[in-house]
């Protein structure tokens, strides 16, 4: 069994509980899909030309990091209100943005090894996720073009996966462009194998964590000061600029402002 495309948050939450992931259809309208994909095409080419790219799998796959610095369209993705409701459902009333990057899977690339997004956490794992992800599909995700592959229900094992390439264990997560796949941090998954002749599969990963976890991206060092200067209070909070209880203090607890 696997999750089904839905626009209903109740169904999405039920799929998260049973399968470890859900599929929200049509969350991005076609014009926003085009804007995001075009900008990533631009960035991918520019980073290769500048020699600052992260290309791997013999040139087949490419990551584009730190998207908050590379366009306000990506900030809008990180702050999506529907995904925010599911992150609150999975991670609690307060959580942080751990990272946001793009993953481009090209022809000839091998699948990533099977992993869980909280694999850095030693076992035993608690009976709830510590991190969660939203994969924004900017192309139709198909079995042939490298769709993310998952082991449905593996989050209920609450333990590390075998860290192998395991197509026989996994199911491709397919959906039309504009779909958001939300999945929790204990789910076993991998990037799929792109077997097409020339089709590149674009996706954006917005990665969130509980407020007492270390973020994957060190925003305090890597964030462009101009982005921080115009950041909304909501974005600043997601980046970790507010305290959470006694964590993240600056010269003690504040008398005013967020106290969580």
């Amino acid at each position: 069994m696997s999750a089904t495309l839905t626009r209903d948050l109740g169904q999405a939450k039920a799929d998260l509980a049973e399968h470890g992931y859900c599929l929200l259809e049509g969350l991005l309208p076609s014009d926003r899909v085009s804007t995001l994909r075009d900008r990533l095409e631009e960035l991918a080419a520019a980073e290769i030309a500048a020699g600052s790219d992260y290309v791997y799998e013999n040139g087949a796959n490419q990551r584009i990091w730190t998207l908050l610095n590379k366009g306000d369209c990506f900030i809008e993705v990180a702050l999506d209100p529907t995904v925010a409701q599911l992150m609150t459902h999975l991670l609690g009333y307060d959580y942080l943005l751990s990272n946001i990057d793009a993953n481009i899977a090209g022809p000839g690339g091998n699948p990533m090894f099977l992993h869980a997004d909280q694999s850095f956490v030693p076992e035993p794992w608690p009976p709830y996720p510590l991190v969660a992800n939203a994969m924004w599909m900017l192309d139709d995700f198909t079995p042939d073009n490298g769709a993310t592959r998952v082991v449905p229900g593996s989050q209920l094992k609450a333990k590390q996966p075998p860290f192998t390439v395991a197509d026989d264990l996994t199911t491709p997560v397919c959906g039309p462009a504009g779909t958001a796949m939300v999945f929790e941090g204990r789910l076993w998954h991998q990037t799929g194998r792109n077997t097409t002749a020339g089709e590149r599969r674009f996706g954006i990963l917005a990665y969130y964590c509980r407020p007492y976890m270390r973020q994957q991206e060190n925003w305090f060092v890597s964030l462009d000061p101009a982005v921080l200067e115009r950041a909304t209070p909501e974005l600043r909070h997601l980046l970790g600029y507010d305290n959470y209880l006694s964590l993240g203090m600056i010269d003690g607890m504040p008398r005013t402002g967020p106290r969580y």
Side-chain angles (χ1 to χ4, degrees):
M1 296 291 292
S2 55
T4 55
L5 287 162
T6 186
R7 295 173 186 261
D8 179 72
L9 278 181
Q11 180 61 54
K13 290 175 182 178
D15 283 341
L16 281 166
E18 182 177 357
H19 306 299
Y21 73 102
C22 66
L23 290 167
L24 292 165
E25 185 179 15
L27 215 53
L28 283 178
S30 58
D31 59 332
R32 285 188 67 199
V33 170
S34 297
T35 296
L36 290 162
R37 199 184 189 286
D38 289 349
R39 178 59 178 149
L40 289 176
E41 286 265 25
E42 236 177 67
L43 289 166
E47 291 183 3
I48 289 172
S52 60
D53 59 273
Y54 189 90
V55 172
Y56 58 106
E57 288 297 331
N58 296 316
N61 294 353
Q62 185 172 0
R63 290 270 182 170
I64 303 174
W65 305 108
T66 326
L67 290 181
L68 295 187
N69 287 345
K70 298 173 181 176
D72 286 352
C73 56
F74 303 119
I75 295 175
E76 293 172 9
V77 168
L79 294 172
D80 181 81
T82 303
V83 167
Q85 290 182 65
L86 291 179
M87 290 302 155
T88 298
H89 172 70
L90 289 170
L91 302 177
Y93 71 93
D94 193 23
Y95 57 87
L96 301 175
L97 179 67
S98 189
N99 199 358
I100 180 168
D101 66 276
N103 186 12
I104 304 169
N110 291 316
M112 192 177 183
F113 59 88
L114 200 61
H115 65 285
D117 284 338
Q118 63 182 54
S119 287
F120 53 84
V121 178
E123 293 180 6
W125 286 352
Y128 50 81
L130 297 171
V131 302
N133 236 314
M135 166 65 90
W136 294 88
M137 301 180 185
L138 303 184
D139 293 296
D140 296 346
F141 273 38
T142 71
D144 296 330
N145 71 1
T148 304
R149 302 182 68 93
V150 303
V151 181
S154 55
Q155 83 283 358
L156 300 176
K157 298 177 186 290
K159 67 178 185 178
Q160 301 282 9
F163 299 106
T164 58
V165 175
D167 287 358
D168 57 323
L169 296 178
T170 58
T171 300
V173 179
C174 301
T179 299
M181 170 198 177
V182 174
F183 56 105
E184 63 133 284
R186 299 173 298 167
L187 181 72
W188 299 0
H189 65 282
Q190 61 187 137
T191 301
R193 189 191 310 270
N194 188 330
T195 60
T196 66
E199 185 181 336
R200 293 200 299 167
R201 186 274 286 161
F202 280 66
I204 292 174
L205 285 158
Y207 179 38
Y208 303 86
C209 63
R210 290 184 183 266
Y212 47 80
M213 306 292 292
R214 183 172 185 178
Q215 290 152 285
Q216 189 176 56
E217 181 73 28
N218 189 338
W219 298 114
F220 306 107
V221 175
S222 64
L223 192 69
D224 185 333
V227 174
L228 180 61
E229 186 176 347
R230 66 176 186 273
T232 62
E234 182 185 8
L235 179 59
R236 289 178 64 94
H237 182 75
L238 270 183
L239 295 176
Y241 280 87
D242 296 328
N243 68 294
Y244 170 74
L245 303 177
S246 61
L247 300 179
M249 296 189 303
I250 300 174
D251 195 24
M253 294 285 284
R255 289 181 175 275
T256 58
R259 299 195 65 155
Y260 300 98

